[in-house]
Amino acid sequence: MTDVVLSATGLVMRFGGITATDNVTLNLRRGARHALIGPNGAGKTTLVNLLTGVLTPTAGRIVLEGEDITRLAPHARVARGMVRTFQINQLFDSMTPLETLALVVSQRSGLGAQWWRPLGASGRVSERAAQLLEQFHLGDVAHQPTRELAYGKRRLLEIAIALACEPRVLLLDEPVAGVPAGEREELLQTVAALPADVSVLLIEHDMDLVFSFADRMTVLVNGALLTEGDPDTIAHDPKVKEVYLGQGAVHV
């Protein structure tokens, strides 16, 4: 499967007598728009924590572009091109979006502590930061402290930071969670316009976003794989409808 960029095989995660992840296999294809869905408590967060190295599996194997990363530290996975955005916004409140992106781009470019030099000192850094500000509709707030930004803008900045890390695999962790209705459209458009060469795994409860974005879906229930398929197959799967019964979560 040469077109598979990220492969998780037989993942098991036990916490004492509780099995949070039960023999889950997932393959993320190159350039995919793949959604991971399931009711609360299905094990989505645990699975993502395994993929990103926050947790080490009890059993199973994770391979990124042919390399076994099962026991690799989270920062080492980022360096190899796997980047995650977080459901709980984690940003530098006192820094501006421009400063934040310049810092991330500098670190990714190997300039490290030199990020604090005047932003124009490195044309490469300032140019890339400017591109990201424009791409993520942050130009009008580029010089505002992050703590003053509207919540939707903070989520846009979070995804911009992830892309500044030059990911080959991007794990989008509930990007519209908590975003007011009036700020959602800009965020949805930005997610839809993510670079085609970045393989995206979306973890999301918002089914409008899931069905408009994903070309493939994996459904987890009680830590185990219920089913996987294209959006139309998932929408009409009786097992999936039963799981979401009463939640109005699956389109028909």
Side-chain angles (χ1 to χ4, degrees), residues 41-111:
K44 301 184 297 294
T45 299
T46 301
L47 178 58
V48 173
N49 284 339
L50 291 170
L51 294 175
T52 54
V54 175
L55 295 172
T56 301
T58 307
R61 187 167 181 253
I62 303 167
V63 174
L64 177 65
E65 294 196 317
E67 179 185 1
D68 190 325
I69 61 166
T70 309
R71 302 195 176 277
L72 211 59
H75 71 273
R77 300 185 195 208
V78 173
R80 284 164 174 76
M82 183 194 294
V83 179
R84 172 189 189 178
T85 65
F86 286 88
Q87 178 182 349
I88 300 172
N89 196 273
Q90 301 182 356
L91 300 171
F92 300 102
D93 275 0
S94 63
M95 294 175 66
T96 68
L98 177 57
E99 290 168 340
T100 301
L101 291 170
L103 168 60
V104 178
V105 172
S106 294
Q107 291 180 327
R108 189 65 183 177
S109 302
L111 299 176

XYZ file of all heavy atoms in Angstrom, residues 41-111:
530
model
N -17.122 9.041 24.198
C -16.613 7.841 24.843
C -16.234 6.732 23.884
O -15.919 5.618 24.306
N -16.238 7.036 22.575
C -15.936 6.003 21.574
C -14.461 5.649 21.527
O -14.083 4.596 21.008
C -16.402 6.460 20.190
N -13.604 6.552 22.048
C -12.168 6.285 22.031
C -11.397 7.086 21.005
O -10.229 6.783 20.717
N -12.025 8.137 20.454
C -11.367 8.937 19.409
C -10.109 9.627 19.946
O -9.051 9.585 19.317
C -12.336 9.981 18.847
C -13.599 9.404 18.225
C -14.459 10.469 17.601
C -15.000 11.488 18.584
N -15.960 10.892 19.558
N -10.244 10.266 21.105
C -9.103 10.999 21.666
C -7.969 10.061 22.024
O -6.793 10.358 21.779
C -9.542 11.814 22.897
O -10.535 12.766 22.503
C -8.367 12.555 23.499
N -8.300 8.910 22.586
C -7.258 7.930 22.927
C -6.520 7.483 21.675
O -5.287 7.390 21.665
C -7.874 6.705 23.633
O -8.537 7.127 24.828
C -6.797 5.691 24.007
N -7.254 7.223 20.607
C -6.618 6.791 19.363
C -5.678 7.872 18.830
O -4.546 7.581 18.419
C -7.678 6.450 18.317
C -7.140 6.026 16.941
C -6.226 4.813 17.051
C -8.295 5.734 15.976
N -6.130 9.132 18.841
C -5.281 10.222 18.366
C -4.056 10.384 19.265
O -2.944 10.653 18.783
C -6.086 11.533 18.285
C -5.186 12.710 17.958
C -7.174 11.411 17.233
N -4.229 10.205 20.573
C -3.086 10.274 21.482
C -2.074 9.164 21.200
O -0.865 9.350 21.381
C -3.557 10.207 22.929
C -4.157 11.512 23.410
O -3.890 12.572 22.842
N -4.972 11.452 24.451
N -2.556 8.021 20.755
C -1.650 6.941 20.354
C -0.912 7.309 19.072
O 0.304 7.113 18.957
C -2.436 5.640 20.153
C -3.005 4.989 21.407
C -3.957 3.849 21.037
C -1.884 4.455 22.298
N -1.645 7.853 18.101
C -1.033 8.211 16.816
C 0.035 9.281 16.988
O 1.064 9.258 16.294
C -2.102 8.706 15.839
C -3.154 7.677 15.385
C -4.203 8.360 14.512
C -2.508 6.522 14.634
N -0.195 10.212 17.923
C 0.719 11.345 18.077
C 1.803 11.110 19.127
O 2.675 11.960 19.301
C -0.051 12.619 18.435
O -0.867 12.374 19.586
C -0.934 13.053 17.279
N 1.745 9.989 19.827
C 2.807 9.662 20.770
C 2.579 10.116 22.188
O 3.443 9.945 23.048
N 1.408 10.705 22.466
C 1.091 11.080 23.837
C 0.953 9.824 24.694
O 1.339 9.805 25.870
C -0.209 11.915 23.879
C -0.619 12.224 25.313
C -0.025 13.200 23.092
N 0.414 8.768 24.095
C 0.300 7.464 24.746
C 1.089 6.426 23.953
O 1.202 6.529 22.727
C -1.167 7.024 24.823
C -2.111 7.856 25.686
C -3.552 7.381 25.476
C -1.734 7.778 27.160
N 1.610 5.430 24.662
C 2.275 4.293 24.020
C 1.331 3.104 24.063
O 0.845 2.742 25.147
C 3.580 3.933 24.742
O 4.448 5.074 24.723
C 4.285 2.777 24.050
N 1.022 2.486 22.924
C 0.018 1.412 22.914
C 0.451 0.175 23.700
O 1.641 -0.141 23.786
C -0.137 1.097 21.428
C 1.153 1.527 20.802
C 1.598 2.719 21.580
N -0.536 -0.493 24.259
C -0.294 -1.788 24.907
C 0.119 -2.814 23.869
O 0.954 -3.681 24.117
C -1.581 -2.248 25.622
O -2.033 -1.211 26.492
C -1.327 -3.517 26.422
N -0.464 -2.706 22.693
C -0.123 -3.598 21.575
C -0.426 -2.860 20.279
O -1.192 -1.904 20.249
C -0.926 -4.904 21.649
N 0.190 -3.326 19.199
C -0.063 -2.747 17.894
C 1.127 -1.963 17.367
O 2.162 -1.815 18.038
N 0.975 -1.406 16.168
C 2.090 -0.778 15.459
C 1.603 0.440 14.686
O 0.512 0.422 14.108
C 2.706 -1.812 14.505
C 3.978 -1.404 13.799
C 4.606 -2.641 13.158
N 5.860 -2.335 12.473
C 6.007 -2.297 11.155
N 4.981 -2.562 10.365
N 7.175 -2.019 10.616
N 2.421 1.492 14.663
C 2.112 2.708 13.915
C 3.273 2.985 12.965
O 4.435 3.040 13.394
C 1.906 3.919 14.850
C 0.799 3.620 15.867
C 1.554 5.163 14.046
C 0.733 4.611 17.010
N 2.958 3.173 11.686
C 3.994 3.395 10.673
C 3.676 4.694 9.929
O 2.560 4.886 9.437
C 4.058 2.217 9.673
C 5.037 2.517 8.548
C 4.470 0.936 10.410
N 4.656 5.595 9.861
C 4.529 6.852 9.131
C 5.500 6.844 7.962
O 6.709 6.794 8.154
C 4.834 8.037 10.058
C 4.823 9.427 9.414
C 3.427 9.783 8.914
C 5.329 10.480 10.406
N 4.954 6.853 6.754
C 5.754 6.835 5.532
C 6.854 5.778 5.581
O 8.020 6.043 5.288
C 6.338 8.224 5.275
C 5.264 9.260 4.965
C 5.801 10.518 4.338
O 6.845 10.995 4.808
O 5.186 11.013 3.370
N 6.433 4.560 5.976
C 7.339 3.418 5.969
C 8.202 3.261 7.196
O 8.912 2.252 7.338
N 8.139 4.221 8.132
C 8.973 4.159 9.336
C 8.114 3.818 10.548
O 7.084 4.455 10.791
C 9.678 5.496 9.561
C 10.538 5.515 10.805
C 11.149 6.887 11.080
O 10.871 7.826 10.303
O 11.897 7.010 12.067
N 8.552 2.834 11.331
C 7.842 2.471 12.555
C 8.059 3.566 13.598
O 9.191 3.813 14.037
C 8.370 1.125 13.081
C 7.506 0.569 14.204
O 6.982 1.364 15.009
O 7.364 -0.666 14.292
N 6.974 4.231 13.992
C 7.075 5.323 14.967
C 6.338 4.985 16.255
O 6.064 5.874 17.070
C 6.516 6.637 14.374
C 5.019 6.479 14.022
C 7.314 7.073 13.142
C 4.324 7.808 13.760
N 6.032 3.711 16.468
C 5.183 3.287 17.589
C 5.670 3.828 18.923
O 4.867 4.183 19.791
C 5.109 1.755 17.647
O 4.767 1.252 16.352
C 4.066 1.293 18.650
N 6.986 3.915 19.092
C 7.533 4.355 20.382
C 8.310 5.660 20.264
O 9.094 6.012 21.142
C 8.416 3.252 20.980
C 7.622 1.967 21.151
C 8.252 0.932 22.044
N 7.358 -0.197 22.209
C 6.367 -0.251 23.078
N 6.140 0.765 23.887
N 5.575 -1.307 23.158
N 8.050 6.389 19.197
C 8.722 7.661 18.976
C 8.055 8.755 19.812
O 6.837 8.776 19.955
C 8.636 8.021 17.491
C 9.771 8.826 16.867
C 11.107 8.104 17.002
C 9.458 9.077 15.397
N 8.844 9.674 20.348
C 8.321 10.780 21.151
C 7.490 11.721 20.282
O 7.724 11.829 19.077
C 9.472 11.544 21.796
N 6.520 12.427 20.887
C 5.664 13.328 20.112
C 6.436 14.346 19.277
O 6.114 14.565 18.106
C 4.816 14.016 21.191
C 4.734 13.015 22.296
C 6.067 12.331 22.300
N 7.460 14.992 19.854
C 8.184 16.022 19.102
C 8.926 15.428 17.914
O 9.085 16.082 16.879
C 9.159 16.775 20.017
C 10.344 15.973 20.444
N 10.328 15.160 21.557
C 11.583 15.835 19.891
C 11.504 14.581 21.688
N 12.287 14.963 20.695
N 9.357 14.168 18.053
C 10.043 13.502 16.945
C 9.064 13.185 15.815
O 9.439 13.194 14.634
C 10.732 12.230 17.438
N 7.819 12.928 16.159
C 6.792 12.699 15.131
C 6.487 13.994 14.381
O 6.286 13.981 13.164
C 5.517 12.122 15.759
C 5.779 10.793 16.463
C 4.519 10.142 16.993
N 4.879 9.091 17.948
C 4.165 8.014 18.207
N 3.011 7.833 17.579
N 4.563 7.116 19.072
N 6.458 15.111 15.102
C 6.260 16.402 14.452
C 7.389 16.664 13.469
O 7.168 17.098 12.340
C 6.185 17.533 15.505
C 6.150 18.900 14.817
C 4.952 17.365 16.389
N 8.620 16.377 13.887
C 9.775 16.593 13.012
C 9.694 15.739 11.755
O 10.239 16.105 10.714
C 11.067 16.282 13.773
N 9.000 14.602 11.843
C 8.838 13.718 10.687
C 7.579 14.027 9.884
O 7.259 13.313 8.944
C 8.848 12.258 11.142
C 10.253 11.755 11.482
C 10.200 10.467 12.282
N 11.530 9.915 12.495
C 12.417 10.385 13.373
N 12.102 11.432 14.115
N 13.609 9.822 13.508
N 6.848 15.058 10.296
C 5.746 15.519 9.463
C 4.351 15.195 9.945
O 3.380 15.392 9.212
N 4.192 14.730 11.215
C 2.850 14.499 11.756
C 2.537 15.579 12.782
O 3.198 15.668 13.816
C 2.728 13.125 12.426
C 1.312 12.857 12.928
S 1.178 11.455 14.052
C 1.610 10.124 12.956
N 1.534 16.403 12.491
C 1.223 17.554 13.332
C -0.244 17.510 13.728
O -1.112 17.173 12.920
C 1.533 18.870 12.593
C 1.194 20.069 13.473
C 3.001 18.915 12.175
N -0.508 17.893 14.968
C -1.878 17.850 15.489
C -2.299 19.229 15.980
O -1.538 19.943 16.617
C -1.927 16.871 16.670
C -3.245 16.863 17.432
C -3.089 16.034 18.691
N -4.347 15.807 19.377
C -4.460 15.074 20.487
N -3.393 14.501 21.009
N -5.633 14.902 21.057
N -3.529 19.612 15.682
C -4.123 20.777 16.340
C -4.905 20.253 17.537
O -5.326 19.100 17.565
C -5.079 21.537 15.420
O -6.196 20.708 15.094
C -4.384 21.970 14.136
N -5.083 21.099 18.504
C -5.717 20.647 19.737
C -7.111 21.214 19.904
O -7.375 22.370 19.566
C -4.858 21.027 20.949
C -3.633 20.188 21.092
C -2.460 20.548 20.459
C -3.665 19.019 21.819
C -1.325 19.765 20.575
C -2.536 18.223 21.937
C -1.371 18.594 21.313
N -7.972 20.377 20.447
C -9.353 20.788 20.691
C -9.388 21.972 21.649
O -10.160 22.899 21.489
C -10.137 19.616 21.267
C -11.584 19.945 21.594
C -12.308 18.768 22.207
O -11.794 17.651 22.214
N -13.483 19.010 22.742
N -8.530 21.928 22.674
C -8.424 23.037 23.619
C -7.330 23.955 23.096
O -6.172 23.567 22.990
C -8.091 22.529 25.039
C -9.198 21.587 25.525
C -7.920 23.700 25.994
C -8.897 20.891 26.815
N -7.711 25.173 22.795
C -6.810 26.110 22.146
C -5.575 26.383 23.000
O -5.683 26.709 24.167
C -7.596 27.396 21.902
C -6.923 28.293 20.907
O -6.095 29.085 21.275
N -7.296 28.170 19.642
N -4.394 26.193 22.423
C -3.140 26.377 23.154
C -2.245 27.341 22.374
O -1.501 26.931 21.487
C -2.435 25.030 23.345
C -3.279 24.031 24.110
C -2.550 22.723 24.337
O -1.455 22.529 23.862
N -3.176 21.832 25.076
N -2.319 28.612 22.730
C -1.568 29.620 22.004
C -0.838 30.533 22.993
O -1.129 30.554 24.189
C -2.514 30.463 21.128
C -3.303 29.708 20.060
C -4.348 30.629 19.440
C -2.385 29.170 18.977
N 0.123 31.286 22.465
C 0.858 32.240 23.277
C 0.048 33.525 23.368
O 0.034 34.339 22.440
C 2.228 32.501 22.652
C 3.086 31.276 22.523
C 3.220 30.640 21.293
C 3.756 30.763 23.620
C 4.017 29.508 21.169
C 4.551 29.633 23.509
C 4.675 29.008 22.283
N -0.613 33.740 24.500
C -1.581 34.828 24.614
C -0.981 36.209 24.401
O -1.638 37.104 23.880
C -2.263 34.777 25.989
C -3.449 33.833 25.996
O -3.728 33.233 24.937
O -4.094 33.686 27.046
N 0.255 36.428 24.834
C 0.832 37.761 24.761
C 1.470 38.056 23.411
O 1.795 39.211 23.119
C 1.877 37.943 25.869
O 2.946 37.024 25.681
N 1.639 37.033 22.569
C 2.256 37.222 21.264
C 1.189 37.492 20.206
O 0.045 37.072 20.340
C 3.075 35.989 20.872
C 4.281 35.762 21.766
S 5.153 34.215 21.385
C 5.776 34.584 19.737
N 1.579 38.186 19.151
C 0.668 38.433 18.041
C 0.706 37.243 17.077
O 1.639 36.438 17.119
C 1.078 39.699 17.276
O 2.328 39.445 16.608
C 1.217 40.887 18.213
N -0.300 37.113 16.200
C -0.236 36.053 15.196
C 1.042 36.120 14.343
O 1.643 35.089 14.038
C -1.486 36.315 14.347
C -2.461 36.911 15.316
C -1.614 37.788 16.201
N 1.465 37.326 13.980
C 2.684 37.463 13.185
C 3.893 36.946 13.954
O 4.712 36.188 13.415
C 2.895 38.929 12.796
C 4.176 39.247 12.008
C 4.261 38.423 10.734
C 4.253 40.738 11.696
N 4.013 37.327 15.214
C 5.146 36.863 16.030
C 5.105 35.348 16.222
O 6.135 34.660 16.142
C 5.126 37.563 17.391
C 5.459 39.044 17.327
C 5.160 39.764 18.630
O 4.365 39.239 19.459
O 5.713 40.859 18.813
N 3.907 34.841 16.473
C 3.761 33.401 16.698
C 4.169 32.605 15.468
O 4.940 31.633 15.560
C 2.298 33.074 17.065
O 1.938 33.793 18.238
C 2.128 31.590 17.321
N 3.680 33.017 14.304
C 3.995 32.290 13.075
C 5.467 32.447 12.711
O 6.099 31.501 12.229
C 3.094 32.760 11.941
C 1.626 32.361 12.095
C 0.752 33.068 11.069
C 1.454 30.851 11.985
N 6.037 33.632 12.960
C 7.462 33.826 12.706
C 8.298 32.892 13.582
O 9.300 32.319 13.116
C 7.858 35.282 12.957
N 7.885 32.709 14.823
C 8.591 31.801 15.724
C 8.552 30.370 15.193
O 9.581 29.692 15.114
C 7.947 31.865 17.126
C 8.359 30.790 18.127
C 9.855 30.835 18.380
C 7.594 30.953 19.439
N 7.360 29.912 14.814
C 7.213 28.526 14.356
C 7.984 28.305 13.047
O 8.686 27.301 12.884
C 5.723 28.163 14.175
C 5.581 26.740 13.642
C 4.981 28.300 15.503
N 7.865 29.250 12.120
C 8.567 29.124 10.842
C 10.078 29.128 11.063
O 10.816 28.356 10.446
C 8.153 30.254 9.873
C 9.030 30.236 8.621
C 6.685 30.117 9.487
N 10.559 29.981 11.975
C 11.993 30.038 12.271
C 12.492 28.718 12.819
O 13.539 28.204 12.405
C 12.278 31.158 13.283
O 12.013 32.423 12.739
N 11.734 28.162 13.760
C 12.135 26.881 14.335
C 12.145 25.786 13.281
O 13.057 24.962 13.225
C 11.202 26.514 15.492
C 11.375 27.406 16.711
C 10.438 27.021 17.837
O 9.317 26.560 17.601
N 10.862 27.201 19.063
N 11.130 25.790 12.431
C 11.051 24.774 11.385
C 12.161 24.945 10.361
O 12.626 23.967 9.766
C 9.684 24.847 10.698
C 9.405 23.709 9.736
C 9.313 22.374 10.466
N 9.123 21.269 9.546
C 9.057 19.991 9.890
N 9.175 19.666 11.161
N 8.893 19.051 9.006
N 12.631 26.182 10.183
C 13.676 26.471 9.208
C 15.080 26.262 9.780
O 16.069 26.486 9.087
C 13.551 27.913 8.707
O 12.283 28.139 8.127
N 15.142 25.890 11.062
C 16.443 25.647 11.675
C 17.105 26.891 12.216
O 18.285 26.871 12.576
N 16.346 28.001 12.311
C 16.929 29.235 12.824
C 16.826 29.331 14.341
O 17.486 30.148 14.961
C 16.227 30.447 12.183
C 16.357 30.534 10.656
C 15.549 31.717 10.131
C 17.813 30.664 10.237
